[in-house]
Amino acid sequence: MTRHRATAALALAAAVLLAGCSSSSDDSISDTPPASGSDTNAEAGTEPADDNAQPDGAADGDLSPGDTHTWDDGVSLTVGQLTEYTPTAEDAPFVPEGETPFIAPLTIANGSAEPVDIADLAITADGITTGGMLTGVYFADVTDLPGGRVAPGAETTITLAWTIDEAAHGRDVAIAALRVTETMPAATPTWSGTIAAP
């Protein structure tokens, strides 16, 4: 399978796009229902607590891997643990010499009333020790290609990958999510974390 690579600069312009791992085309819609929460507070008229949700008043960059950001329309994104990836013999030629590849799972849940086009979500990665824009990379057996939509009430999880010059920029990384829509929500959440050993 042809592998694709894109720099983080291209990702911001053309979008390193989230894709439903069960999608087979850009027109497909994921209908996997999100995990249901407890309704023990329903009778009291309060919302159940979400331990991973972004706290009220938190800045866009106050998130860690495992935390969830929810936009005003009910669409949410969770960025999982950043983990170093050991490339296979087939993947190795696509990793720049001296750079460390890593992967991150991302879960998008659609709590809105309309399908969400995953192409409206652009993901970028940057080093946060001494800077550095990171290179997006595609590994055939690990990462997911762009495409698809998420149906109302459904969620999907995909995996993206990048490489970083660890000697120059360390292992601390910021993952940012930009939603490109007509309303352009102001919040651009950022998850900051350290790449874990494989």
Side-chain angles (χ1 to χ4, degrees), residues 22-75:
S22 64
S23 324
S24 60
S25 72
D26 287 350
D27 293 328
S28 61
I29 299 180
S30 171
D31 57 3
T32 304
S36 58
S38 171
D39 60 357
T40 55
N41 294 325
E43 293 183 2
T46 60
E47 293 295 328
D50 183 351
D51 293 337
N52 290 324
Q54 184 179 16
D56 291 341
D60 292 344
D62 287 347
L63 297 172
S64 299
D67 289 342
T68 298
H69 175 83
T70 302
W71 284 276
D72 291 343
D73 60 358
V75 176

Side-chain angles (χ1 to χ4, degrees), residues 16-26 28 30 77 106-108 117-119 121 123 138 143-150 155-160:
V16 176
L17 307 175
L18 295 182
C21 34
S22 64
S23 324
S24 60
S25 72
D26 287 350
S28 61
S30 171
L77 178 66
L106 296 93
T107 299
I108 180 170
D117 189 341
I118 300 174
L121 190 60
I123 305 298
Y138 174 73
T143 52
D144 297 289
L145 289 172
R149 292 178 292 167
V150 181
E155 68 176 29
T156 188
T157 299
I158 61 95
T159 299
L160 299 181

Side-chain angles (χ1 to χ4, degrees), residues 3-192:
R3 295 169 172 78
H4 304 276
R5 301 188 51 198
T7 63
L10 287 176
L12 186 56
V16 176
L17 307 175
L18 295 182
C21 34
S22 64
S23 324
S24 60
S25 72
D26 287 350
D27 293 328
S28 61
I29 299 180
S30 171
D31 57 3
T32 304
S36 58
S38 171
D39 60 357
T40 55
N41 294 325
E43 293 183 2
T46 60
E47 293 295 328
D50 183 351
D51 293 337
N52 290 324
Q54 184 179 16
D56 291 341
D60 292 344
D62 287 347
L63 297 172
S64 299
D67 289 342
T68 298
H69 175 83
T70 302
W71 284 276
D72 291 343
D73 60 358
V75 176
S76 68
L77 178 66
T78 305
V79 175
Q81 177 63 55
L82 315 178
T83 306
E84 182 177 340
Y85 170 67
T86 303
T88 65
E90 292 183 349
D91 292 332
F94 299 94
V95 178
E97 185 176 357
E99 296 199 5
T100 300
F102 67 97
I103 59 176
L106 296 93
T107 299
I108 180 170
N110 185 4
S112 73
E114 300 294 335
V116 171
D117 189 341
I118 300 174
D120 289 341
L121 190 60
I123 305 298
T124 62
D126 296 280
I128 54 175
T129 302
T130 59
M133 293 188 301
L134 308 189
T135 302
V137 64
Y138 174 73
F139 299 124
D141 296 328
V142 177
T143 52
D144 297 289
L145 289 172
R149 292 178 292 167
V150 181
E155 68 176 29
T156 188
T157 299
I158 61 95
T159 299
L160 299 181
W162 298 265
T163 67
I164 186 171
D165 185 340
E166 186 177 342
H169 303 303
R171 295 174 70 90
D172 292 331
V173 173
I175 306 293
L178 172 66
R179 285 187 71 196
V180 185
T181 66
E182 291 181 0
T183 57
M184 283 297 291
T188 302
T190 301
W191 288 258
S192 298

